[in-house]
Amino acid sequence: MDKFVIEGGVPLCGELEIKPAKNAILPCLAASLLTSEEIIFNNSASLNDICSMLSLLDHLGVKIGGNVGGALTLKADNIKSLVAPYDLVRKMRASILVLGPLLARFKKAKVSFPGGCAIGPRPIDQHLKGLESLGAKIDVEEGYIIATTDGLRGGEVVFDKVTVGGTENLLMASILANGKTTIFNAAREPEVVDLGNLLIKMGAKIEGLGTDKIVIEGVKEVKGAIHSPIPDRIEAGTIMAATAITKGKVKLKNCFKENLESPIIKLEEMGFSLNFDGNSITVGSGKEIRSTDITTAPFPGFPTDLQAQFVALLTQAEGTSTVKEEIFESRFMHINELQRMGADIKIEGNIAVVRGKNELKGAEVMASDLRASASLVIAGLVAQGKTVVNRIYHLDRGYERFEERLETLGARIRRVK
Ligand code: UD1
């Protein structure tokens, strides 16, 4: 298993072009199942999660051209299977996103339950409830969801909880349903909007993207399209936190400020100076990092996917900060490991109380999930001495060549096989 060895203490400096968003590409790849025509992606990211989704689509019969990390073409003109098997789904929870498009186009789908993961139970009840509102019949047999319909019809979907994946599955299912669908309490995340924009290019009729009420007028079929996925706001936020903790100066190119407002506000509250120029954001160092309080929330709130990275940053702030995790239970796995590096953090229910400023010391630590891994790397960048981050396969799921990209900014980090 690969690990990272980091020698801390170097301020990150330079420029970095942000990659396309994993969480936008994944649903857009699943959307290729909705048509027999070709969907062309102008760019993608070389990530294990993208490879997992492509393996699943390949298993279903989608023809895939191009290369991961570059342009990709997908053509679902000869689907051979409507079954997403356990072995492919268990690797990545986002595999559940094939359920909506398969059901809408082929009237049947059998998808393995994704199962739990390191950041707590992640149910899919809202996806299933939503599909039932469109007339799907859902059965569960031997760990598989079997969804059937004699034709989806428009309906009203009221999510009890804001769900990104649930909104995406319902969007993909409803564009081919007969009549009008309204999704209430829809997710407003930029990645949902990006998927919606691709679906519109394919011929779908959708209004209200980016709001909590989305209205879809079903069409008989959709066609091919060309798409460029949006930049990855989580990669951008991660590099911002890494720059901030090392008191460096980095210009991030290709990022949309409007998708990063909450983390930007928090960095400014901490005393960092940020400059904006078109699609570039430059993060500069603050003299002294000030404490702040963060609560994760659905977009446009502070993203849960940046919580772990900002906890690492707040260990270097003067005073006490609180970080409240409102989206996922058990998303504090990084905290034990940060404590081993000398951080003073206490967990009270879903609140982490971070007391700063504590000098971090290099240690051997274990990554437990994707964003927790990034948090440990960030801590390692400022820690005294050598930090070894084990199990970075989690990190490879969502960050492309992370260590190489940090190295270009001056970090002393290497991958050990
Ligand atoms: C997506 C992102 C993930 C991010 C998360 C929240 C992708 C591939 N992944 O995950 O990186 O952390 O949004 O921004 O885009 N829930 C239910 N029932 C459901 C569905 C969700 O109770 O049917 C709960 C979840 O347990 C969680 C909350 O709703 O507490 C939000 O989950 P959701 O937005 O669905 O997350 P994902 O789409 O899985």
Side-chain angles (χ1 to χ4, degrees):
M1 256 185 265
D2 291 9
K3 49 185 158 184
F4 282 161
V5 178
I6 305 164
E7 301 274 350
V10 184
L12 298 190
C13 290
E15 293 188 356
L16 197 71
E17 175 113 3
I18 294 303
K19 297 279 174 185
K22 163 181 95 74
N23 287 354
I25 300 171
L26 291 173
C28 288
L29 291 175
S32 69
L33 290 166
L34 288 159
T35 173
S36 59
E37 292 186 20
E38 196 164 70
I39 305 289
I40 301 171
F41 295 93
N42 289 325
N43 48 11
S44 64
S46 179
L47 300 171
N48 289 352
D49 271 9
I50 307 277
C51 296
S52 299
M53 181 60 92
L54 291 174
S55 301
L56 173 57
L57 295 173
D58 175 65
H59 167 87
L60 299 175
V62 179
K63 293 178 193 130
I64 300 164
N67 55 55
V68 186
L72 284 168
T73 57
L74 283 87
K75 194 166 185 192
D77 59 347
N78 187 17
I79 290 300
K80 299 189 186 90
S81 167
L82 301 177
V83 183
Y86 174 70
D87 250 9
L88 292 172
V89 175
R90 76 181 163 83
K91 287 196 189 135
M92 188 191 52
R93 198 188 133 75
S95 308
I96 190 69
L97 293 172
V98 301
L99 179 61
L102 283 179
L103 183 65
R105 181 162 161 222
F106 302 101
K107 300 190 169 68
K108 187 171 178 189
K110 182 174 171 184
V111 178
S112 169
F113 263 103
C117 79
I119 56 173
R122 294 174 72 172
I124 50 159
D125 57 310
Q126 299 300 310
H127 299 232
L128 303 183
K129 178 184 145 178
L131 292 172
E132 279 174 334
S133 307
L134 303 189
K137 183 171 169 290
I138 307 280
D139 292 302
V140 176
E141 268 176 34
E142 295 169 350
Y144 278 80
I145 303 146
I146 301 172
T148 48
T149 178
D150 45 17
L152 293 177
R153 47 180 161 67
E156 294 205 336
V157 177
V158 186
F159 284 126
D160 303 324
K161 208 167 180 176
V162 178
T163 155
V164 174
T167 306
E168 291 167 345
N169 239 336
L170 262 290
L171 260 181
M172 291 189 276
S174 60
I175 60 164
L176 293 181
N178 188 8
K180 182 172 121 177
T181 298
T182 309
I183 306 177
F184 295 95
N185 201 21
R188 293 180 282 166
E189 267 65 5
E191 295 76 19
V192 175
V193 176
D194 197 47
L195 168 68
N197 285 336
L198 167 63
L199 297 175
I200 290 170
K201 281 186 232 168
M202 292 167 72
K205 292 189 180 154
I206 306 173
E207 276 175 21
L209 288 171
T211 76
D212 61 1
K213 182 181 163 195
I214 306 179
V215 181
I216 303 108
E217 195 64 57
V219 294
K220 284 225 152 42
E221 55 180 22
V222 286
K223 53 188 188 340
I226 303 178
H227 191 60
S228 301
I230 55 169
D232 196 325
R233 64 192 167 105
I234 306 301
E235 189 198 28
T238 302
I239 301 292
M240 285 177 173
T243 306
I245 204 169
T246 62
K247 301 216 165 154
K249 186 173 184 186
V250 172
K251 181 176 187 176
L252 303 173
K253 297 199 281 189
N254 188 38
C255 48
F256 298 163
K257 180 184 174 221
E258 63 275 21
N259 294 347
L260 280 156
E261 264 168 7
S262 298
I264 286 171
I265 289 169
K266 287 298 157 189
L267 285 169
E268 286 173 340
E269 279 177 18
M270 285 181 233
F272 294 100
S273 67
L274 285 96
N275 282 303
F276 309 99
D277 177 16
N279 283 345
S280 296
I281 302 178
T282 304
V283 184
S285 63
K287 288 191 185 71
E288 179 182 271
I289 308 178
R290 291 196 292 265
S291 59
T292 188
D293 299 319
I294 293 177
T295 301
T296 63
F299 190 84
F302 191 92
T304 175
D305 284 354
L306 285 176
Q307 178 257 105
Q309 301 87 318
F310 273 63
V311 167
L313 174 57
L314 287 171
T315 63
Q316 299 308 297
E318 301 291 336
T320 301
S321 306
T322 60
V323 180
K324 191 170 183 187
E325 173 54 57
E326 289 276 37
I327 309 291
F328 291 112
E329 298 170 33
S330 332
R331 203 174 197 178
F332 279 150
M333 312 277 276
H334 43 288
I335 287 178
N336 269 342
E337 302 302 292
L338 291 172
Q339 284 165 339
R340 298 186 58 242
M341 297 174 75
D344 180 355
I345 309 174
K346 286 205 172 56
I347 301 176
E348 294 170 5
N350 67 339
I351 300 175
V353 180
V354 189
R355 287 202 181 80
K357 169 191 177 182
N358 259 17
E359 212 157 81
L360 300 181
K361 302 221 165 48
E364 183 138 1
V365 289
M366 185 85 81
S368 55
D369 69 58
L370 170 54
R371 307 303 171 185
S373 320
S375 160
L376 299 177
V377 172
I378 288 171
L381 291 175
V382 81
Q384 264 183 13
K386 189 166 90 177
T387 299
V388 179
V389 184
N390 288 292
R391 297 204 177 167
I392 51 162
Y393 60 89
H394 291 293
L395 196 128
D396 291 332
R397 284 183 38 216
Y399 293 95
E400 183 174 329
R401 298 178 292 106
F402 196 48
E403 76 286 15
E404 286 176 34
R405 288 163 67 68
L406 288 175
E407 243 187 325
T408 64
L409 300 174
R412 286 179 298 200
I413 177 170
R414 63 195 159 86
R415 182 183 289 258
V416 178
K417 295 274 174 195

